[in-house]
mmCIF file of all heavy atoms in Angstrom:
data_model
loop_
_atom_site.group_PDB
_atom_site.id
_atom_site.type_symbol
_atom_site.label_atom_id
_atom_site.label_comp_id
_atom_site.label_asym_id
_atom_site.label_seq_id
_atom_site.Cartn_x
_atom_site.Cartn_y
_atom_site.Cartn_z
ATOM 1 N N THR P 1 -7.226 9.590 -7.519
ATOM 2 C CA THR P 1 -7.864 10.386 -6.474
ATOM 3 C C THR P 1 -8.669 9.482 -5.551
ATOM 4 O O THR P 1 -9.440 8.640 -6.024
ATOM 5 C CB THR P 1 -8.790 11.452 -7.095
ATOM 6 O OG1 THR P 1 -7.994 12.286 -7.969
ATOM 7 C CG2 THR P 1 -9.436 12.314 -6.038
ATOM 8 N N LEU P 2 -8.498 9.680 -4.258
ATOM 9 C CA LEU P 2 -9.283 8.972 -3.246
ATOM 10 C C LEU P 2 -9.930 10.002 -2.337
ATOM 11 O O LEU P 2 -9.481 11.144 -2.243
ATOM 12 C CB LEU P 2 -8.427 7.999 -2.455
ATOM 13 C CG LEU P 2 -8.127 6.712 -3.239
ATOM 14 C CD1 LEU P 2 -6.878 6.842 -4.056
ATOM 15 C CD2 LEU P 2 -8.061 5.529 -2.323
ATOM 16 N N GLU P 3 -10.975 9.571 -1.645
ATOM 17 C CA GLU P 3 -11.799 10.513 -0.891
ATOM 18 C C GLU P 3 -11.194 10.981 0.421
ATOM 19 O O GLU P 3 -11.593 12.020 0.946
ATOM 20 C CB GLU P 3 -13.189 9.909 -0.626
ATOM 21 C CG GLU P 3 -13.193 8.707 0.315
ATOM 22 C CD GLU P 3 -12.812 7.392 -0.338
ATOM 23 O OE1 GLU P 3 -12.589 7.331 -1.559
ATOM 24 O OE2 GLU P 3 -12.714 6.401 0.410
ATOM 25 N N SER P 4 -10.231 10.261 0.968
ATOM 26 C CA SER P 4 -9.700 10.662 2.272
ATOM 27 C C SER P 4 -8.248 10.224 2.419
ATOM 28 O O SER P 4 -7.769 9.344 1.698
ATOM 29 C CB SER P 4 -10.526 10.036 3.404
ATOM 30 O OG SER P 4 -10.348 8.634 3.424
ATOM 31 N N ARG P 5 -7.589 10.815 3.391
ATOM 32 C CA ARG P 5 -6.218 10.426 3.706
ATOM 33 C C ARG P 5 -6.181 8.961 4.125
ATOM 34 O O ARG P 5 -5.316 8.200 3.696
ATOM 35 C CB ARG P 5 -5.662 11.308 4.818
ATOM 36 C CG ARG P 5 -4.267 10.916 5.259
ATOM 37 C CD ARG P 5 -3.790 11.722 6.476
ATOM 38 N NE ARG P 5 -2.475 11.304 6.883
ATOM 39 C CZ ARG P 5 -2.222 10.259 7.664
ATOM 40 N NH1 ARG P 5 -3.207 9.508 8.123
ATOM 41 N NH2 ARG P 5 -0.979 9.944 7.985
ATOM 42 N N ALA P 6 -7.126 8.566 4.963
ATOM 43 C CA ALA P 6 -7.151 7.185 5.449
ATOM 44 C C ALA P 6 -7.281 6.199 4.293
ATOM 45 O O ALA P 6 -6.590 5.177 4.260
ATOM 46 C CB ALA P 6 -8.288 6.994 6.445
ATOM 47 N N ALA P 7 -8.148 6.494 3.341
ATOM 48 C CA ALA P 7 -8.336 5.602 2.192
ATOM 49 C C ALA P 7 -7.078 5.540 1.340
ATOM 50 O O ALA P 7 -6.679 4.460 0.885
ATOM 51 C CB ALA P 7 -9.529 6.060 1.355
ATOM 52 N N ALA P 8 -6.432 6.678 1.113
ATOM 53 C CA ALA P 8 -5.216 6.706 0.299
ATOM 54 C C ALA P 8 -4.071 5.974 0.987
ATOM 55 O O ALA P 8 -3.365 5.174 0.366
ATOM 56 C CB ALA P 8 -4.826 8.148 -0.005
ATOM 57 N N MET P 9 -3.893 6.215 2.275
ATOM 58 C CA MET P 9 -2.821 5.545 3.011
ATOM 59 C C MET P 9 -3.070 4.044 3.069
ATOM 60 O O MET P 9 -2.139 3.248 2.908
ATOM 61 C CB MET P 9 -2.694 6.123 4.428
ATOM 62 C CG MET P 9 -2.206 7.567 4.461
ATOM 63 S SD MET P 9 -0.507 7.775 3.905
ATOM 64 C CE MET P 9 0.363 7.304 5.388
ATOM 65 N N GLU P 10 -4.304 3.631 3.274
ATOM 66 C CA GLU P 10 -4.633 2.205 3.333
ATOM 67 C C GLU P 10 -4.393 1.534 1.978
ATOM 68 O O GLU P 10 -3.862 0.427 1.911
ATOM 69 C CB GLU P 10 -6.069 1.990 3.786
ATOM 70 C CG GLU P 10 -6.489 0.538 3.852
ATOM 71 C CD GLU P 10 -5.612 -0.322 4.755
ATOM 72 O OE1 GLU P 10 -5.091 0.186 5.765
ATOM 73 O OE2 GLU P 10 -5.454 -1.522 4.446
ATOM 74 N N ALA P 11 -4.764 2.195 0.902
ATOM 75 C CA ALA P 11 -4.555 1.630 -0.430
ATOM 76 C C ALA P 11 -3.062 1.468 -0.719
ATOM 77 O O ALA P 11 -2.626 0.423 -1.205
ATOM 78 C CB ALA P 11 -5.219 2.508 -1.483
ATOM 79 N N ALA P 12 -2.267 2.489 -0.416
ATOM 80 C CA ALA P 12 -0.823 2.404 -0.637
ATOM 81 C C ALA P 12 -0.207 1.335 0.265
ATOM 82 O O ALA P 12 0.669 0.572 -0.167
ATOM 83 C CB ALA P 12 -0.173 3.761 -0.398
ATOM 84 N N ARG P 13 -0.650 1.257 1.499
ATOM 85 C CA ARG P 13 -0.158 0.249 2.438
ATOM 86 C C ARG P 13 -0.488 -1.162 1.932
ATOM 87 O O ARG P 13 0.342 -2.067 1.996
ATOM 88 C CB ARG P 13 -0.770 0.472 3.819
ATOM 89 C CG ARG P 13 -0.215 -0.438 4.893
ATOM 90 C CD ARG P 13 -0.799 -0.151 6.280
ATOM 91 N NE ARG P 13 -0.570 1.227 6.704
ATOM 92 C CZ ARG P 13 -1.519 2.172 6.786
ATOM 93 N NH1 ARG P 13 -2.773 1.894 6.499
ATOM 94 N NH2 ARG P 13 -1.227 3.389 7.181
ATOM 95 N N HIS P 14 -1.699 -1.323 1.411
ATOM 96 C CA HIS P 14 -2.141 -2.619 0.891
ATOM 97 C C HIS P 14 -1.227 -3.100 -0.238
ATOM 98 O O HIS P 14 -0.856 -4.273 -0.295
ATOM 99 C CB HIS P 14 -3.598 -2.500 0.419
ATOM 100 C CG HIS P 14 -4.165 -3.742 -0.166
ATOM 101 N ND1 HIS P 14 -4.433 -4.863 0.583
ATOM 102 C CD2 HIS P 14 -4.502 -4.052 -1.432
ATOM 103 C CE1 HIS P 14 -4.915 -5.812 -0.204
ATOM 104 N NE2 HIS P 14 -4.964 -5.343 -1.440
ATOM 105 N N VAL P 15 -0.846 -2.204 -1.123
ATOM 106 C CA VAL P 15 0.050 -2.564 -2.221
ATOM 107 C C VAL P 15 1.415 -2.974 -1.672
ATOM 108 O O VAL P 15 1.966 -4.010 -2.051
ATOM 109 C CB VAL P 15 0.188 -1.406 -3.239
ATOM 110 C CG1 VAL P 15 1.279 -1.702 -4.252
ATOM 111 C CG2 VAL P 15 -1.140 -1.164 -3.942
ATOM 112 N N SER P 16 1.965 -2.184 -0.755
ATOM 113 C CA SER P 16 3.276 -2.512 -0.182
ATOM 114 C C SER P 16 3.265 -3.860 0.522
ATOM 115 O O SER P 16 4.219 -4.639 0.419
ATOM 116 C CB SER P 16 3.725 -1.425 0.794
ATOM 117 O OG SER P 16 4.276 -0.340 0.106
ATOM 118 N N GLU P 17 2.194 -4.133 1.241
ATOM 119 C CA GLU P 17 2.112 -5.401 1.976
ATOM 120 C C GLU P 17 2.020 -6.602 1.048
ATOM 121 O O GLU P 17 2.364 -7.719 1.439
ATOM 122 C CB GLU P 17 0.922 -5.373 2.934
ATOM 123 C CG GLU P 17 1.143 -4.449 4.109
ATOM 124 C CD GLU P 17 -0.091 -4.267 4.976
ATOM 125 O OE1 GLU P 17 -1.190 -4.746 4.593
ATOM 126 O OE2 GLU P 17 0.037 -3.631 6.033
ATOM 127 N N ALA P 18 1.586 -6.394 -0.177
ATOM 128 C CA ALA P 18 1.465 -7.486 -1.133
ATOM 129 C C ALA P 18 2.803 -7.818 -1.803
ATOM 130 O O ALA P 18 2.911 -8.819 -2.503
ATOM 131 C CB ALA P 18 0.428 -7.133 -2.201
ATOM 132 N N ILE P 19 3.822 -6.992 -1.587
ATOM 133 C CA ILE P 19 5.143 -7.203 -2.188
ATOM 134 C C ILE P 19 6.040 -7.900 -1.166
ATOM 135 O O ILE P 19 6.289 -7.372 -0.088
ATOM 136 C CB ILE P 19 5.768 -5.857 -2.609
ATOM 137 C CG1 ILE P 19 4.862 -5.140 -3.615
ATOM 138 C CG2 ILE P 19 7.170 -6.070 -3.173
ATOM 139 C CD1 ILE P 19 5.244 -3.695 -3.843
ATOM 140 N N SER P 20 6.517 -9.068 -1.514
ATOM 141 C CA SER P 20 7.404 -9.788 -0.603
ATOM 142 C C SER P 20 8.805 -9.174 -0.645
ATOM 143 O O SER P 20 9.159 -8.460 -1.588
ATOM 144 C CB SER P 20 7.472 -11.262 -0.982
ATOM 145 O OG SER P 20 8.172 -11.415 -2.194
ATOM 146 N N ALA P 21 9.597 -9.491 0.354
ATOM 147 C CA ALA P 21 10.971 -8.992 0.400
ATOM 148 C C ALA P 21 11.762 -9.470 -0.817
ATOM 149 O O ALA P 21 12.614 -8.739 -1.335
ATOM 150 C CB ALA P 21 11.646 -9.448 1.690
ATOM 151 N N GLU P 22 11.467 -10.671 -1.291
ATOM 152 C CA GLU P 22 12.162 -11.209 -2.465
ATOM 153 C C GLU P 22 11.767 -10.473 -3.745
ATOM 154 O O GLU P 22 12.562 -10.385 -4.681
ATOM 155 C CB GLU P 22 11.872 -12.706 -2.631
ATOM 156 C CG GLU P 22 12.417 -13.569 -1.517
ATOM 157 C CD GLU P 22 11.556 -13.522 -0.253
ATOM 158 O OE1 GLU P 22 10.321 -13.333 -0.346
ATOM 159 O OE2 GLU P 22 12.126 -13.659 0.838
ATOM 160 N N GLU P 23 10.543 -9.990 -3.802
ATOM 161 C CA GLU P 23 10.058 -9.287 -5.000
ATOM 162 C C GLU P 23 10.496 -7.828 -5.039
ATOM 163 O O GLU P 23 10.563 -7.228 -6.109
ATOM 164 C CB GLU P 23 8.528 -9.307 -5.041
ATOM 165 C CG GLU P 23 7.917 -10.655 -5.225
ATOM 166 C CD GLU P 23 6.412 -10.619 -5.078
ATOM 167 O OE1 GLU P 23 5.899 -9.973 -4.129
ATOM 168 O OE2 GLU P 23 5.731 -11.230 -5.920
ATOM 169 N N GLU P 24 10.784 -7.248 -3.891
ATOM 170 C CA GLU P 24 11.116 -5.820 -3.837
ATOM 171 C C GLU P 24 12.473 -5.555 -4.480
ATOM 172 O O GLU P 24 13.470 -6.175 -4.111
ATOM 173 C CB GLU P 24 11.137 -5.326 -2.391
ATOM 174 C CG GLU P 24 11.444 -3.851 -2.292
ATOM 175 C CD GLU P 24 11.462 -3.326 -0.871
ATOM 176 O OE1 GLU P 24 11.638 -4.120 0.068
ATOM 177 O OE2 GLU P 24 11.292 -2.113 -0.709
ATOM 178 N N PRO P 25 12.519 -4.629 -5.436
ATOM 179 C CA PRO P 25 13.802 -4.277 -6.056
ATOM 180 C C PRO P 25 14.761 -3.671 -5.030
ATOM 181 O O PRO P 25 14.344 -2.999 -4.083
ATOM 182 C CB PRO P 25 13.425 -3.238 -7.111
ATOM 183 C CG PRO P 25 11.970 -3.428 -7.347
ATOM 184 C CD PRO P 25 11.402 -3.913 -6.040
#
């Protein structure tokens, strides 16, 4: 649970950005 849409979207975006194209299944 996160307090806002912006916080949730930013957290999910942060995880995706940390995955390189080579690491992505």
Side-chain angles (χ1 to χ4, degrees):
T1 302
L2 283 89
E3 67 279 357
S4 68
R5 177 186 179 277
M9 293 293 279
E10 179 57 32
R13 186 177 302 108
H14 179 69
V15 171
S16 279
E17 289 173 352
I19 301 167
S20 70
E22 295 78 30
E23 294 173 315
E24 181 180 22

